[in-house]
């Protein structure tokens, strides 16, 4: 009876341990447990080392405490003996923390130095500007990473294409408030400040895939909806993508042609957005060149489908509340016109 009551006290703790174990088994796009670049691998290795060391220290301290509690517990007729000074013990509890600090500290210092290394000359240079609440992406070089004829900078938004196996050097700033660029499977987290360009640690993506990033610094009401994706692809796919961002799009036909006209005239979209090769050269909102090939819209919050794009154009605040600059078009355009705009943008694909 006494023991069962005793164990009941431990039940919440046990449940918590089980819950934590179960949660770590979840797949999450922002996982830090699955590094796909040497830079993320470095952080992951340190994380595991520190977790193991902390567990060993915790086990040793709690074990010693449990031993003392049981061995020296109160017994009738026994009094505590007072001890003053024990050279062996004092040496032990000085050396043990020093050893722990060295085991953790030495690789940490090496990792910090690695993270601060300058980019290699042939690293892909990507300048990212954080906005409330989206990401502007500008490729600045080197020229040989792009097909001949592509004029730098190449500009896009919210989805960053990079070739596999090539070092990437991201520089970061903000257009308004403090944001934070967090891309856990490829590189650590770096804050973006207005008026200050910062170097993100260089990283080399090791495998093809789509990796999720988000803003990790509270930056206003739509902070949680400020995501981005990094698409790591073969060099050929990367070059095809970069080239098509500057090639005039094929002429739109049918509904899409009607949408193009709305984009350039009645809708007024061209005042804020750029579509390369057209009259639309606005710089306020995200660049929409080859928008149809993006996987998401609204800075990574919705899958890029016809239906979602129509919803977005008609009333984006429904999906992303906040003082967004883009107007809602449900009152100024008809449903048919919005469908035409969506058809135009979704038709702008990488060929
Ligand atoms: Cu940008 Cu939070």
């Amino acid at each position: 009876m006494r023991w069962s009551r005793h164990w009941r006290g431990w039940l919440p703790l046990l449940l918590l341990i089980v819950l934590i174990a179960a949660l770590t088994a979840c797949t999450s796009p922002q996982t830090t447990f699955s590094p796909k670049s040497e830079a993320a691998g470095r952080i992951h290795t340190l994380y595991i080392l520190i977790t193991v060391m902390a567990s060993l220290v915790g086990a040793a301290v709690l074990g010693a405490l449990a031993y003392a509690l049981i061995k020296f517990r109160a017994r009738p007729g026994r009094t505590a003996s007072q001890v003053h000074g024990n050279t062996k013990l004092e040496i032990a509890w000085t050396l043990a923390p020093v050893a722990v600090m060295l085991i953790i500290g030495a690789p940490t210092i090496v990792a910090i130095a690695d993270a601060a290394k300058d980019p290699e000359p042939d690293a892909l240079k990507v300048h990212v500007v954080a906005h409330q609440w989206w990401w502007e992406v500008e490729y600045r070089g080197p020229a040989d990473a792009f097909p001949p004829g592509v004029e730098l900078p190449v500009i896009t938004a919210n989805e960053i294409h990079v070739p596999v196996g090539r070092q990437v050097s991201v520089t970061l700033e903000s257009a308004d408030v403090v944001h934070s660029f967090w891309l856990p499977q490829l590189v650590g987290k770096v804050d973006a400040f207005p008026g200050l360009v910062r170097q993100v640690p260089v990283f080399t993506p090791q495998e093809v895939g789509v990796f999720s990033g988000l803003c990790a610094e509270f930056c206003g009401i739509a902070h949680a909806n400020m995501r981005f994706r990094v698409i790591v692809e073969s060099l050929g796919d990367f070059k095809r993508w970069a080239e098509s961002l500057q090639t005039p799009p094929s002429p739109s036909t049918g509904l899409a042609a009607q949408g193009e006209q709305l984009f350039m005239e009645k809708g007024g979209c061209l005042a804020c957005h750029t579509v390369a090769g057209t009259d639309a050269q606005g710089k306020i909102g995200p660049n929409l060149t080859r928008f149809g090939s993006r996987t998401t819209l609204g800075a990574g919050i919705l899958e890029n489908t016809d239906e979602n794009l129509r919803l977005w154009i008609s009333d984006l605040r429904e999906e992303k509340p906040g003082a967004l600059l883009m107007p809602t078009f449900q009152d100024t355009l008809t449903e048919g016109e919005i469908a035409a705009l969506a058809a135009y943008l979704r038709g702008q694909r990488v060929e």
Side-chain angles (χ1 to χ4, degrees):
M1 188 60 206
R2 225 184 73 190
W3 274 102
S4 78
R5 206 179 302 143
H6 178 81
W7 281 108
R8 222 172 288 154
W10 287 92
L11 201 61
L13 182 67
L14 284 172
L15 283 176
L16 184 69
I17 292 170
V18 170
L19 183 70
I20 289 171
L23 282 177
T24 55
C26 293
T27 55
S28 152
Q30 291 298 121
T31 181
T32 53
F33 292 101
S34 174
K36 296 290 187 243
S37 77
E38 87 305 353
R42 196 162 59 213
I43 298 170
H44 183 251
T45 307
L46 277 182
Y47 174 78
I48 298 296
L49 173 71
I50 291 171
T51 305
V52 168
M53 291 303 292
S55 307
L56 290 176
V57 170
V61 170
L62 292 176
L65 183 64
Y67 172 80
L69 283 174
I70 293 163
K71 171 131 176 123
F72 303 111
R73 67 188 182 276
R75 279 201 189 123
R78 189 166 79 169
T79 54
S81 70
Q82 302 296 325
V83 178
H84 294 282
N86 183 324
T87 312
K88 274 186 197 161
L89 258 182
E90 285 175 19
I91 290 174
W93 73 50
T94 305
L95 286 185
V98 168
V100 170
M101 290 313 291
L102 280 177
I103 293 168
I104 293 174
T108 303
I109 290 166
V110 172
I112 290 171
D114 282 346
K117 274 189 186 152
D118 286 335
E120 289 163 9
D122 69 343
L124 187 72
K125 289 174 186 62
V126 185
H127 186 66
V128 174
V129 184
H131 293 255
Q132 281 175 315
W133 290 273
W134 58 282
W135 306 87
E136 186 179 353
V137 182
E138 183 181 314
Y139 292 79
R140 293 183 168 173
D144 72 3
F146 297 87
V150 168
E151 210 177 295
L152 294 171
V154 169
I155 294 172
T156 186
N158 298 328
E159 293 192 2
I160 307 175
H161 287 242
V162 295
V164 67
R166 181 159 197 150
Q167 192 183 73
V168 181
S169 160
V170 174
T171 48
L172 185 66
E173 68 180 312
S174 165
D176 35 53
V177 300
V178 180
H179 301 268
S180 187
F181 180 90
W182 187 37
L183 180 58
Q185 284 187 276
L186 295 176
V187 72
K189 187 193 292 169
V190 177
D191 285 357
F193 298 97
L196 175 70
V197 177
R198 302 187 73 196
Q199 173 74 50
V200 174
V202 291
F203 62 95
T204 307
Q206 291 162 330
E207 61 182 73
V208 167
V210 177
F211 303 101
S212 174
L214 50 76
C215 179
E217 180 72 48
F218 182 71
C219 55
I221 193 162
H223 155 69
N225 295 324
M226 186 172 165
R227 301 181 208 162
F228 61 98
R229 285 188 178 185
V230 171
I231 292 111
V232 179
E233 57 198 355
S234 70
L235 185 61
D237 285 347
F238 172 75
K239 287 191 167 178
R240 210 167 9 259
W241 170 81
E243 189 168 32
S244 80
L245 287 194
Q246 291 194 330
T247 334
S250 330
S252 309
T253 51
L255 191 62
Q258 192 196 331
E260 179 167 11
Q261 202 182 353
L262 284 162
F263 193 95
M264 305 301 167
E265 292 166 21
K266 185 179 172 194
C269 315
L270 81 173
C272 295
H273 297 283
T274 292
V275 176
T278 72
D279 291 341
Q281 297 295 321
K283 301 278 185 269
I284 295 167
N287 185 310
L288 297 179
T289 307
R290 308 291 170 173
F291 175 82
S293 285
R294 292 198 196 148
T295 58
T296 59
L297 62 92
I301 64 167
L302 293 171
E303 290 303 313
N304 187 3
T305 63
D306 287 329
E307 196 193 342
N308 282 341
L309 184 56
R310 286 199 302 271
L311 283 174
W312 182 257
I313 298 169
S314 73
D315 185 9
L316 71 169
R317 280 162 194 79
E318 185 80 5
E319 307 300 331
K320 187 164 172 171
L324 302 163
L325 289 174
M326 180 163 145
T328 58
F329 286 95
Q330 57 189 354
D331 301 326
T332 49
L333 297 179
T334 65
E335 262 179 46
E337 287 172 328
I338 288 170
L341 268 177
Y344 166 59
L345 288 169
R346 294 261 304 145
Q348 302 294 308
R349 298 175 164 277
V350 173
E351 282 140 19

